[in-house]
Amino acid sequence: KNEVEQSPQNLTAQEGEFITINCSYSVGISALHWLQQHPGGGIVSLFMLSSGKKKHGRLIATINIQEKHSSLHITASHPRDSAVYICAVYYGGATNKLIFGTGTLLAVQP
Amino acid sequence: TAGITQAPTSQILAAGRSMTLRCTQDMRHNAMYWYRQDLGLGLRLIHYSNTAGTTGKGEVPDGYSVSRANTDDFPLTLASAVPSQTSVYFCASSLEGDTEAFFGQGTRLTVV
C-alpha cells in the first residue's frame, strides 16, 4: 500500500469547472508538496505547505494535519491545466526524503 | 538561470553496459535526490543526499550507486544495466528537505 494515496487517478472536466484533487497520507509529516507534470515535460513545484492554506492564481492548496489530508483545487479550469498533479510528503529527520503519490491525470476539455 | 540540469536527455543502452546519469545544480542546495518514474507507480526514490559527502538509500536502490563529492553534483551510476531499469529518471534538489523542490528535465533511459 502506497504511503501516499491520491484520488481520483483520472479526472476529466469541462472548461470552467471547479476541480478538486485529494491526497491522503498515513503518518505524520513535516511538509507536503503539490507538483505539476505536463505530458512529456518536466516537473514543477506548485505548493509546499505544512499547515493551513495557500493560493496562487487559480490554484488553492489546503492541508489538514490532524486528518492527514490535503486537497488541491483549481478554479475556472482551462485546457492548459491538463497535466498530471502529484502529491508528495516529506518525512523529516534522518530520512529527509519525499514520498510521492502516483499522480492524478487531469484532462480539461474546451 | 540554470537551476538544475540533467544529462543526457535520453539514452539507449545495451544490457550489461554501465552508464552515469549526470545531475548538476547551481542553487547551493543541500539536499539532492534521484527518482525513477514508471507508469502506474509514480516517482520512487532511488538514492538521496542530505549534504555533500553523505548519501542514503531510497525505496529502490538496487543496481544503482551515487556519490556526492561536492554540493553541486550528484551523479547516478548503473554498473550493469538491465531492462527493468528502463525508466524516466529525475534528479531533484532542495535547500533542505522541507523546502521547495526543484526538478531536472528528466532522462529517458531505455535498456535493450
Side-chain angles (χ1 to χ4, degrees):
Chain A
K1 184 179 185 299
N2 199 348
E3 295 176 54
V4 181
E5 298 281 348
Q6 284 187 240
S7 62
Q9 288 187 316
N10 295 280
L11 179 58
T12 300
Q14 294 298 313
E15 183 173 358
E17 286 186 4
F18 181 84
I19 291 165
T20 296
I21 299 170
N22 297 298
C23 176
S24 297
Y25 50 92
S26 55
V27 297
I29 63 171
S30 296
L32 182 143
H33 298 251
W34 281 103
L35 308 160
Q36 180 192 58
Q37 184 177 27
H38 283 282
I43 298 170
V44 176
S45 176
L46 298 175
F47 295 103
M48 196 279 294
L49 66 166
S50 54
S51 65
K53 174 181 174 179
K54 288 190 176 180
K55 184 176 188 292
H56 181 69
R58 295 181 293 106
L59 300 178
I60 303 167
T62 63
I63 188 168
N64 185 318
I65 296 295
Q66 288 72 31
E67 295 186 3
K68 299 184 176 60
H69 180 269
S70 176
S71 293
L72 177 68
H73 306 286
I74 304 175
T75 62
S77 61
H78 190 276
R80 65 175 175 266
D81 296 326
S82 298
V84 175
Y85 292 86
I86 303 168
C87 170
V89 298
Y90 168 66
Y91 298 105
T95 54
N96 192 29
K97 59 186 180 182
L98 285 172
I99 303 296
F100 291 79
T102 54
T104 295
L105 176 60
L106 171 65
V108 181
Q109 297 177 342
Chain B
T1 301
I4 181 167
T5 57
Q6 291 181 233
T9 302
S10 65
Q11 181 75 46
I12 298 174
L13 184 67
R17 299 295 295 269
S18 66
M19 179 178 180
T20 296
L21 281 61
R22 300 183 298 279
C23 177
T24 299
Q25 52 98 2
D26 63 1
M27 298 173 283
R28 309 303 294 172
H29 284 173
N30 290 316
M32 296 188 75
Y33 313 87
W34 273 106
Y35 297 92
R36 58 178 291 173
Q37 186 179 39
D38 302 290
L39 193 65
L41 295 176
L43 285 148
R44 292 181 294 168
L45 181 66
I46 304 170
H47 285 286
Y48 66 96
S49 171
N50 291 342
T51 188
T54 69
T55 62
K57 294 182 178 180
E59 303 169 69
V60 288
D62 294 343
Y64 306 95
S65 63
V66 292
S67 62
R68 188 86 184 276
N70 57 60
T71 298
D72 297 349
D73 302 302
F74 191 44
L76 176 73
T77 298
L78 287 68
S80 179
V82 295
S84 62
Q85 292 178 309
T86 294
S87 186
V88 180
Y89 291 84
F90 285 95
C91 179
S93 74
S94 60
L95 184 61
E96 301 292 345
D98 58 351
T99 57
E100 183 181 5
F102 295 81
F103 288 79
Q105 77 276 24
T107 296
R108 184 174 296 276
L109 177 66
T110 302
V111 181
V112 298

